[in-house]
Amino acid sequence: MMNGQDDDSELLSVSEFSQEDELSSSHGDRDSSFEHEENNKKKKKKSKEHEIGSKETKSVFRAKLMVYLVLIVSCVTASTLAYFFTRDQEEDDYRNDFKVYADEVKRVAKDVIQTKIDVGESLSIQITSYANDNGFLFPFVTLPDFERVSANLRHMANTDFISFISLVPREKKAEFENYTLYNNEWVQEGLEVQGLGDVDPGPIPSFIVDLVQMFGVARPDPNALENLYFAPTWQTGPAPFNASTLLSDVFVNPQLLPSIERILSEGTVQITPIFKIVIPNTAAGVELERPFEVPHSAMTNGIYDTLEGNGDLVGFVYTSVPWNDFFNGILSEGTGDIEVVVSENCGEAGDSKMTFVLDGEESYLKAFEDAHDPKFDSRRESTVLTNEEFEAGEDGRCRYELEIYPTNKLKNTYDSNEPLIYSIVVAMIFVFTTMVFLVYDWAVQRRQWMIIRAARKTQAIVSSLFPKNVQDRILKDVDDEVQREANKPLVTRGNRTKDQLQNFLKGKDGVAAAEEEAQMPTPGARSSKPIADLFPEATIIFADIVGFTAWSSTREPTQVFQLLETIYHVFDEIANRRRVFKVETVGDCYVAVAGLPEPRKDHAIVMARFARDCLVQFTATVKAMVVELGPDTEELGVRIGLHSGPVTAGVLRGERARFQLFGDTVNTTARMESTGVPNKIHLSQETADLLVAAGKSQWLRTRREKVVAKGKGELQTYWLDSTGETATATTEGESDEEEKGAKPGIQTAPVVAPAPAVPSADKYNRLVAWNCDILAKLLTQIVARRESRRTDPDPVADIRKLEEQYGSNRYVLSEVQEIVRLPKFEADSQRVDPWSVQLSEEVLSQLKDYVQTLAAMYRDNPFHNFEHASHVTMSVMKLLSRIVAPDVTNAPTDTDEALHDHTYGITSDPMTQFAVALSALIHDVDHPGVPNSQLIKEETSLAAVYRNKSIAEQNSVDLAWDLLMDDAYGDLRNTIYVTKTEFLRFRQLVVNIVLATDIMDKDLGALRKGRWNKAFSEQSTGNTEDDVNRKATIVMEHLIQASDVAHTMQHWHIYRKWNQRLFREMYEAFLQGRAEKDPSDNWYEGEKGFFDFYIIPLAKKLKDCGVFGVSSDEYLQYAVQNRKEWELKGAELVAEMLKSFRDQGLIPGGKAQEQPEQAPPPRQSSALSLNNKKEQQIV
């Protein structure tokens, strides 16, 4: 339409120009010039309109053409690659599967041959043993019940015939013939065992059939075996239907004679060449065709007159090898055909070959020759079955070889249409992609056409309204506006730095901006200034967990992070509620600030309340987590420091953008925290001044001693009253105003001697709850495993009878086993998730009651008490949780089995883990506070009962076991074990593990040392079941030993705590006259020797057994570090402990202090009743 209008205008101009030419020639020149100018304008306009997007259109067209070409080439290439890749994959599958089948055939064939050899050897040993045990002389020996014995052996060896052939010297021929006439009952008995008792086998021959003499096959050598002996077939399995076949001299068989001679000369098992047994047609009286020819070989094992190594050959066992059934069942159902060529090379005896076809589980003889397809020669797999150490046919020995080939049928199962299908699918994907691209291109073209149309309209409007210079100015202004919008800053008003900082802290685009800035190569290349600012008024808090390092040394990593996550989550919630900004956490230190990024004048008050809330919640949280994280968790404290002042805050840009605080205020806050005390809030003078100015002076108490801070000298500091109430207590004779450094309205903190730590009933109950939780979790795993394996329980009466047999009247030490047998691995033992198992209320109630009673049975010893037992249990659980197998993640399908094998079955059996945990809990029940040697010297009744061996340990087992056997805990016992096997394993585990804690008994120590050497020596292969169970037993015993002294292999503070308790226990015994020597005389040197000769070697054994992962390294490192620390500080610590005892009045002449009354443990009456029962049993 636009082109048409242009043409009409041209015609009109020409017409007008002609008319004007006729009127005036002067006007003609002017008009002609004007028309030419207008024409040029219109042509330029038209040309400009067509030029809009013309270059881009050509570029797009070329790009589209290139894309189409790439798609076509990619389609062809991808389809071809898919075809050949899939075909190669099928070929690889075919080769790999055939290799697997061939390896399976070779392995099973060798196993079958070895089984037949073992069967013959077994029968030979039985015959010799029977003769020797009953004083019979060969050849006058008949093995009783031969039919059943041979039937079992035939079933094991998959053979159809086995016989006992005697060597009868020629001078004893008549005597042997007479013997067989009166000892042939075994024939009829054998037929009856077969269910053919009504068959009459007839009489056996009255003489040995001398086939050598009959057929004249004797050799000229008078000393030849067949000229000196007869070899009559005496007993056969199955028993013959016709007894006349017996007493046939087998020396006539030239295939057996060389084998017998080699047995006589070498004493080795021999195999004969292949011979064919032809099944006759009794009706026709002629032999059948080849399909009924059955190839056989025979294994011959020598029988000797004694089981000693130098016996004389008196007979041999003949075992048939029916090749027709030899390969049955080797492959699984559905496996493709493979061919096996059996080659026999017996030297002069001749060579022969047979070809068998294995079709799944079935096999059949294809030909009495090598009939495999030659095109599969390249896939040949071979192995030697017999006489591998000899050359083929050497010295007449028969060497059997297998050659395994694939077949067309097997190959065809891997040839499919999948390569073609995959290539077509790939091509269709590309076709579909091309179609989608075409649709997309059409949509883009349509959109582009609309844009161009709009641009032309706009150009037309602008051109019609404005002159050229105005058009250019308008377009330039638009371009500038677009450019300004593209480069517009994120913030255009206000304090840009603080806004950016607040955006960063609030999680907005500041993080992204900072990380983008971090990508700049150099600081000078950054496009913006750093995001930072000075906040003149802010209060910072540092909160550090006291005792965390020592506590974490006794826990597994997951428990460490569980504690930190829980505490920090609680602090975060308080911070959100108090509008305090959390800066970061560094290890176990929590850093927060009030007064930024949004300034507030009450920042000191807010932070004081925040600190007080954190302290209260921390105390409550650690007490509540004792049940999950174990003892000593409630002893953790938090040290809090506060300081107020100006702070520089900003985003530290880099690879990981972080919000940071800088300045002297931060350093001073850190000093406030580090110089504080646990569970108190330490404030600087500046923060205290702000609180006083805000009318909160009642919150403060002046710290008596001044704090020395690096670079600041002495500082007067304050305590924040954590209760929020006014402190009124002061030291006698002093007032608040008289206290140096105190301010009016601020209370002075009194100096109070810390009370000695004593177990409280609350702590006691938390320990009981934690132990119950540990044991309950293990019980759920026992139940889950039992349900997974579908274990059928034994009758309750049988188990109760067994429980009565293992009462306290048994001598526990006699039950220590060298090997405790653990269950074998079963893949389906993890089918039931332990988390889905719910223990009944009765079981949980009985478990809690049982643990409470056990706790009450512990005496109030400084060291050997219930808290120590809980500490040992915690170490046991840590080591059990760290049992790992290396490199199992590379084989996820075999992870459970690999872990089972690597840890000797410990990780696979929850019963074992439960027994270990329970043993740790009971191992010191009723411990008297003195060693066994002292009990022996005192000639106590317990020492007499336990025969002066492992007295305390046996007593602990008896007391805990008798308690568990009480009728009140029937449901609990029914959860622990439901079969007699489980009961016995549980009892053996408890006895072995508890008795292992007696490290002073020389006999037990020697037994454990011998087991360790036998289990982990370089000569030990560790392949047998006994080897694995021996290793498991010794690992569990060393686990409990390490846990019993775990404090020596944990953090220095833990070691000091328990070392002081043990020293106190032994010192109290000395003061009571129950020890001959003062322990302080040799405590320093004794501890060094204990480290050198027991602790460090024990830690190395944990590492050497290889099942405890990095925990063994951790224990060894702590043991070495503690040994070094003790060498430096031990003598001083012993002196400090003696001084402490003197101050407490334990040593005569010392200053006694009034001790707080301890909370009595619950259920003491139950413990006393059990002890009284034990004393009655002793009497």
Side-chain angles (χ1 to χ4, degrees):
M1 181 179 295
M2 189 175 293
N3 293 341
Q5 291 175 348
D6 293 344
D7 295 339
D8 293 341
S9 300
E10 291 180 3
L11 292 175
L12 180 60
S13 300
V14 171
S15 176
E16 292 175 349
F17 178 75
S18 300
Q19 293 176 3
E20 292 291 328
D21 185 43
E22 293 178 355
L23 295 175
S24 175
S25 59
S26 61
H27 289 178
D29 295 335
R30 186 179 57 184
D31 291 341
S32 175
S33 176
F34 176 80
E35 179 185 7
H36 181 71
E37 185 177 345
E38 289 296 322
N39 247 349
N40 288 337
K41 289 181 180 180
K42 293 178 181 179
K43 288 179 180 180
K44 289 180 180 180
K45 177 182 177 183
K46 180 178 179 182
S47 176
K48 191 172 184 178
E49 291 175 353
H50 283 284
E51 284 179 358
I52 296 177
S54 60
K55 293 183 179 180
E56 289 75 12
T57 302
K58 293 178 180 179
S59 299
V60 170
F61 176 79
R62 287 193 295 267
K64 287 194 295 183
L65 184 60
M66 184 62 67
V67 169
Y68 292 140
L69 291 176
V70 169
L71 285 174
I72 294 173
V73 173
S74 300
C75 177
V76 174
T77 303
S79 299
T80 304
L81 291 177
Y83 178 86
F84 286 103
F85 177 83
T86 310
R87 192 184 66 176
D88 292 343
Q89 186 64 41
E90 289 183 344
E91 184 69 16
D92 290 341
D93 292 342
Y94 155 69
R95 288 196 300 266
N96 294 336
D97 287 354
F98 169 72
K99 184 67 168 57
V100 171
Y101 299 154
D103 290 344
E104 183 69 8
V105 170
K106 290 188 288 186
R107 183 187 65 80
V108 176
K110 288 187 176 181
D111 291 346
V112 171
I113 288 292
Q114 186 60 45
T115 301
K116 295 181 185 298
I117 294 174
D118 294 341
V119 163
E121 187 68 18
S122 174
L123 182 57
S124 171
I125 293 173
Q126 289 187 58
I127 294 172
T128 303
S129 299
Y130 172 74
N132 292 342
D133 293 343
N134 293 278
F136 296 145
L137 298 177
F138 289 93
F140 309 103
V141 176
T142 303
L143 184 65
D145 206 12
F146 189 86
E147 181 63 27
R148 287 190 174 87
V149 173
S150 66
N152 291 334
L153 296 178
R154 293 198 310 273
H155 177 72
M156 291 173 56
N158 192 24
T159 185
D160 54 2
F161 183 81
I162 189 168
S163 65
F164 165 31
I165 300 174
S166 296
L167 280 181
V168 181
R170 287 187 171 268
E171 64 270 19
K172 293 184 180 182
K173 175 177 180 293
E175 186 179 359
F176 180 78
E177 291 170 345
N178 185 58
Y179 168 81
T180 59
L181 292 176
Y182 297 97
N183 292 275
N184 56 15
E185 298 88 354
W186 65 268
V187 178
Q188 188 63 43
E189 292 174 357
L191 292 174
E192 291 176 356
V193 171
Q194 299 177 44
L196 302 173
D198 56 343
V199 175
D200 182 12
I204 67 172
S206 59
F207 59 91
I208 298 175
V209 180
D210 189 354
L211 297 176
V212 174
Q213 182 179 359
M214 181 181 300
F215 294 98
V217 296
R219 292 180 288 184
D221 183 5
N223 293 323
L225 191 61
E226 64 270 30
N227 292 331
L228 298 177
Y229 294 89
F230 293 99
T233 302
W234 173 221
Q235 288 184 283
T236 65
F241 297 152
N242 186 353
S244 63
T245 60
L246 300 174
L247 299 186
S248 298
D249 188 359
V250 300
F251 278 155
V252 72
N253 189 340
Q255 295 177 327
L256 284 177
L257 193 57
S259 300
I260 298 173
E261 289 179 339
R262 276 192 294 276
I263 293 176
L264 185 62
S265 61
E266 300 175 2
T268 58
V269 180
Q270 301 296 323
I271 185 169
T272 68
I274 296 174
F275 55 91
K276 304 173 185 177
I277 298 179
V278 181
I279 301 177
N281 186 334
T282 56
V286 296
E287 295 183 352
L288 296 174
E289 295 297 327
R290 174 172 293 183
F292 291 91
E293 291 179 341
V294 181
H296 278 67
S297 297
M299 307 291 297
T300 52
N301 299 66
I303 303 176
Y304 300 88
D305 59 355
T306 177
L307 294 178
E308 303 297 332
N310 55 356
D312 295 328
L313 183 69
V314 294
F316 55 91
V317 174
Y318 174 100
T319 305
S320 172
V321 182
W323 289 101
N324 269 19
D325 300 330
F326 189 89
F327 299 99
N328 286 346
I330 292 182
L331 299 180
S332 59
E333 185 67 27
T335 304
D337 286 2
I338 64 173
E339 292 181 344
V340 180
V341 178
V342 181
S343 302
E344 163 245 313
N345 192 318
C346 299
E348 296 179 358
D351 301 334
S352 61
K353 293 186 177 182
M354 302 176 292
T355 302
F356 291 88
V357 177
L358 277 64
D359 184 7
E361 296 182 346
E362 302 295 329
S363 66
Y364 62 91
L365 177 65
K366 181 178 180 180
F368 280 96
E369 60 183 2
D370 186 351
H372 81 278
D373 193 339
K375 73 179 182 180
F376 295 111
D377 285 349
S378 61
R379 297 281 180 262
R380 174 180 176 271
E381 296 282 342
S382 62
T383 188
V384 179
L385 288 183
T386 60
N387 292 319
E388 187 174 0
E389 63 275 18
F390 298 100
E391 292 295 329
E394 179 182 347
D395 196 19
R397 291 177 173 83
C398 289
R399 176 185 171 105
Y400 281 77
E401 298 182 10
L402 297 184
E403 297 177 357
I404 307 168
Y405 302 92
T407 62
N408 287 321
K409 183 177 179 181
L410 178 65
K411 182 67 172 64
N412 292 338
T413 58
Y414 292 89
D415 292 336
S416 66
N417 294 327
E418 287 187 0
L420 181 60
I421 293 174
Y422 281 128
S423 62
I424 293 176
V425 169
V426 171
M428 294 302 297
I429 291 175
F430 274 94
V431 171
F432 176 78
T433 304
T434 304
M435 296 298 296
V436 171
F437 182 80
L438 289 174
V439 173
Y440 174 77
D441 179 63
W442 173 83
V444 170
Q445 282 186 339
R446 183 172 182 274
R447 178 175 176 273
Q448 184 180 8
W449 176 81
M450 294 178 66
I451 292 175
I452 293 176
R453 182 180 178 184
R456 287 176 176 175
K457 289 181 178 180
T458 303
Q459 179 68 24
I461 294 172
V462 173
S463 299
S464 63
L465 295 178
F466 304 102
K468 181 69 171 57
N469 59 339
V470 177
Q471 296 178 30
D472 295 338
R473 178 65 181 273
I474 292 175
L475 294 177
K476 185 176 184 303
D477 290 342
V478 172
D479 291 339
D480 292 341
E481 181 66 22
V482 172
Q483 186 67 28
R484 283 195 301 271
E485 288 292 332
N487 298 329
K488 184 178 180 180
L490 294 177
V491 180
T492 58
R493 58 186 178 86
N495 189 327
R496 181 176 184 274
T497 301
K498 288 193 174 182
D499 289 341
Q500 283 184 315
L501 186 59
Q502 292 187 12
N503 287 337
F504 179 86
L505 298 180
K506 295 177 181 179
K508 296 184 180 180
D509 53 359
V511 176
E515 292 181 349
E516 288 176 4
E517 296 288 351
Q519 306 301 321
M520 297 298 179
T522 61
R526 297 188 184 276
S527 60
S528 61
K529 293 182 179 180
I531 306 174
D533 202 356
L534 175 66
F535 295 85
E537 296 181 359
T539 300
I540 303 176
I541 182 174
F542 275 40
D544 187 72
I545 302 177
V546 182
F548 175 79
T549 305
W551 178 89
S552 62
S553 70
T554 65
R555 265 72 179 178
E556 54 183 297
T558 55
Q559 292 179 315
V560 173
F561 273 78
Q562 183 181 358
L563 174 75
L564 292 178
E565 287 176 351
T566 304
I567 292 176
Y568 290 161
H569 176 70
V570 171
F571 286 4
D572 291 344
E573 288 184 336
I574 300 173
N576 292 333
R577 187 171 64 251
R578 293 290 187 186
R579 292 169 55 200
V580 170
F581 178 73
K582 172 187 175 181
V583 179
E584 61 180 342
T585 56
V586 182
D588 57 333
C589 184
Y590 188 93
V591 182
V593 61
L596 65 86
E598 297 178 358
R600 53 187 306 175
K601 294 187 178 297
D602 60 345
H603 53 87
I605 297 176
V606 169
M607 188 57 78
R609 288 171 174 162
F610 172 75
R612 187 168 57 197
D613 292 347
C614 289
L615 179 59
V616 173
Q617 291 299 319
F618 178 88
T619 304
T621 300
V622 294
K623 287 183 179 180
M625 297 190 73
V626 171
V627 177
E628 297 181 61
L629 303 182
D632 300 337
T633 303
E634 77 282 0
E635 295 180 4
L636 292 173
V638 61
R639 190 169 51 230
I640 300 176
L642 273 67
H643 178 61
S644 303
V647 178
T648 298
V651 179
L652 189 62
R653 297 178 292 186
E655 185 176 352
R656 293 291 184 269
R658 297 172 59 192
F659 181 78
Q660 294 287 298
L661 305 179
F662 298 95
D664 183 68
T665 302
V666 179
N667 298 332
T668 305
T669 307
R671 299 293 182 273
M672 292 297 102
E673 179 272 316
S674 61
T675 57
V677 298
N679 298 328
K680 283 194 174 184
I681 303 171
H682 197 201
L683 282 71
S684 67
Q685 181 72 60
E686 290 75 4
T687 304
D689 291 343
L690 291 175
L691 293 178
V692 171
K696 303 296 182 182
S697 59
Q698 68 275 15
W699 289 5
L700 303 175
R701 289 186 295 172
T702 304
R703 183 172 182 171
R704 287 182 175 275
E705 67 279 5
K706 292 188 177 182
V707 174
V708 178
K710 181 179 179 181
K712 292 183 175 295
E714 291 187 346
L715 300 177
Q716 177 64 59
T717 59
Y718 302 85
W719 301 117
L720 180 69
D721 183 8
S722 59
T723 63
E725 299 172 356
T726 304
T728 58
T730 60
T731 54
E732 186 177 354
E734 292 184 350
S735 64
D736 295 342
E737 290 75 10
E738 294 171 345
E739 175 66 16
K740 183 177 181 180
K743 292 189 175 183
I746 300 179
Q747 303 297 323
T748 303
V751 178
V752 181
V758 294
S760 64
D762 189 29
K763 178 178 179 180
Y764 171 89
N765 291 330
R766 287 196 296 268
L767 289 178
V768 169
W770 177 78
N771 283 286
C772 290
D773 184 68
I774 291 295
L775 296 177
K777 289 178 181 177
L778 293 173
L779 283 176
T780 59
Q781 297 177 23
I782 293 175
V783 175
R785 178 181 174 87
R786 191 177 295 143
E787 292 178 356
S788 298
R789 302 178 68 179
R790 297 184 175 90
T791 303
D792 295 326
D794 290 340
V796 177
D798 294 348
I799 296 181
R800 295 295 175 263
K801 184 177 180 181
L802 196 60
E803 291 174 348
E804 294 174 359
Q805 296 177 8
Y806 284 83
S808 58
N809 58 339
R810 295 176 63 90
Y811 184 50
V812 178
L813 189 60
S814 64
E815 298 182 43
V816 175
Q817 301 289 324
E818 179 180 359
I819 298 175
V820 178
R821 303 191 180 279
L822 302 186
K824 296 181 180 179
F825 176 78
E826 293 186 13
D828 60 349
S829 61
Q830 306 292 333
R831 290 187 302 104
V832 177
D833 185 0
W835 291 101
S836 65
V837 175
Q838 294 290 334
L839 298 178
S840 66
E841 292 296 331
E842 291 78 7
V843 172
L844 294 176
S845 175
Q846 292 178 18
L847 176 63
K848 182 178 180 180
D849 187 80
Y850 179 69
V851 174
Q852 283 180 330
T853 307
L854 285 177
M857 294 166 68
Y858 274 87
R859 301 191 186 186
D860 190 21
N861 299 319
F863 183 86
H864 292 97
N865 50 34
F866 182 61
E867 186 178 357
H868 165 67
S870 300
H871 185 265
V872 175
T873 304
M874 181 170 58
S875 178
V876 162
M877 296 308 300
K878 176 180 179 179
L879 288 175
L880 286 176
S881 68
R882 300 308 300 276
I883 292 181
V884 296
D887 300 331
V888 298
T889 55
N890 295 331
T893 57
D894 300 332
T895 299
D896 293 337
E897 186 171 4
L899 188 61
H900 171 92
D901 295 340
H902 182 75
T903 60
Y904 318 121
I906 298 175
T907 56
S908 302
D909 184 30
M911 166 78 75
T912 300
Q913 300 179 43
F914 179 83
V916 174
L918 182 64
S919 300
L921 187 61
I922 70 173
H923 79 286
D924 278 335
V925 164
D926 195 40
H927 194 286
V930 293
N932 288 330
S933 58
Q934 183 63 29
L935 297 178
I936 296 173
K937 291 179 182 179
E938 295 174 358
E939 298 182 354
T940 62
S941 55
L942 283 177
V945 169
Y946 296 119
R947 308 174 192 176
N948 295 334
K949 303 282 287 183
S950 303
I951 302 166
E953 291 75 19
Q954 294 191 75
N955 182 49
S956 297
V957 172
D958 274 344
L959 290 176
W961 190 265
D962 288 348
L963 177 63
L964 182 61
M965 294 301 111
D966 192 273
D967 293 338
Y969 305 114
D971 294 325
L972 177 59
R973 296 198 303 275
N974 292 337
T975 307
I976 300 174
Y977 51 81
V978 297
T979 66
K980 292 185 288 186
T981 302
E982 290 181 347
F983 171 85
L984 292 175
R985 185 168 79 254
F986 176 61
R987 171 73 180 187
Q988 290 173 0
L989 286 168
V990 171
V991 170
N992 266 55
I993 295 171
V994 175
L995 268 293
T997 60
D998 184 7
I999 63 176
M1000 304 304 297
D1001 188 279
K1002 295 182 179 179
D1003 295 335
L1004 286 177
L1007 178 62
R1008 285 191 293 269
K1009 183 176 180 181
R1011 278 208 305 268
W1012 176 274
N1013 294 333
K1014 188 183 296 184
F1016 293 101
S1017 64
E1018 295 181 357
Q1019 293 78 15
S1020 174
T1021 59
N1023 295 329
T1024 67
E1025 183 177 350
D1026 282 350
D1027 290 335
V1028 173
N1029 287 320
R1030 182 181 292 107
K1031 290 181 178 180
T1033 304
I1034 196 67
V1035 165
M1036 287 185 289
E1037 291 177 348
H1038 282 73
L1039 183 150
I1040 191 66
Q1041 287 178 344
S1043 299
D1044 196 21
V1045 292
H1047 63 281
T1048 63
M1049 293 176 273
Q1050 292 169 351
H1051 193 271
W1052 169 252
H1053 293 165
I1054 303 296
Y1055 166 67
R1056 279 194 57 189
K1057 166 186 172 181
W1058 289 103
N1059 178 265
Q1060 182 177 2
R1061 292 187 179 186
L1062 181 59
F1063 180 78
R1064 176 166 185 158
E1065 180 174 301
M1066 298 185 69
Y1067 201 85
E1068 288 180 353
F1070 169 71
L1071 295 177
Q1072 296 168 6
R1074 303 192 70 185
E1076 295 180 355
K1077 298 181 180 180
D1078 185 345
S1080 63
D1081 293 342
N1082 193 43
W1083 194 259
Y1084 173 70
E1085 295 295 335
E1087 281 294 289
K1088 291 196 296 184
F1090 191 49
F1091 273 109
D1092 293 337
F1093 299 107
Y1094 182 71
I1095 298 300
I1096 294 178
L1098 178 60
K1100 290 180 178 179
K1101 283 186 176 182
L1102 292 181
K1103 182 178 178 64
D1104 293 341
C1105 69
V1107 300
F1108 294 108
V1110 297
S1111 285
S1112 56
D1113 296 312
E1114 178 189 10
Y1115 274 37
L1116 180 58
Q1117 290 172 5
Y1118 272 124
V1120 174
Q1121 292 173 3
N1122 288 338
R1123 201 284 185 198
K1124 293 179 180 178
E1125 197 82 8
W1126 178 260
E1127 186 173 10
L1128 295 175
K1129 304 177 181 178
E1132 180 181 351
L1133 292 177
V1134 173
E1136 290 180 3
M1137 289 189 291
L1138 286 175
K1139 181 179 182 301
S1140 174
F1141 294 167
R1142 188 176 293 107
D1143 293 341
Q1144 297 176 30
L1146 295 178
I1147 301 177
K1151 179 182 178 181
Q1153 288 186 348
E1154 182 178 351
Q1155 299 294 327
E1157 183 179 356
Q1158 298 185 11
R1163 296 184 59 86
Q1164 188 67 28
S1165 59
S1166 299
L1168 291 175
S1169 64
L1170 284 172
N1171 283 309
N1172 292 336
K1173 178 182 177 182
K1174 185 64 184 177
E1175 293 295 335
Q1176 294 172 4
Q1177 293 171 351
I1178 292 171
V1179 174

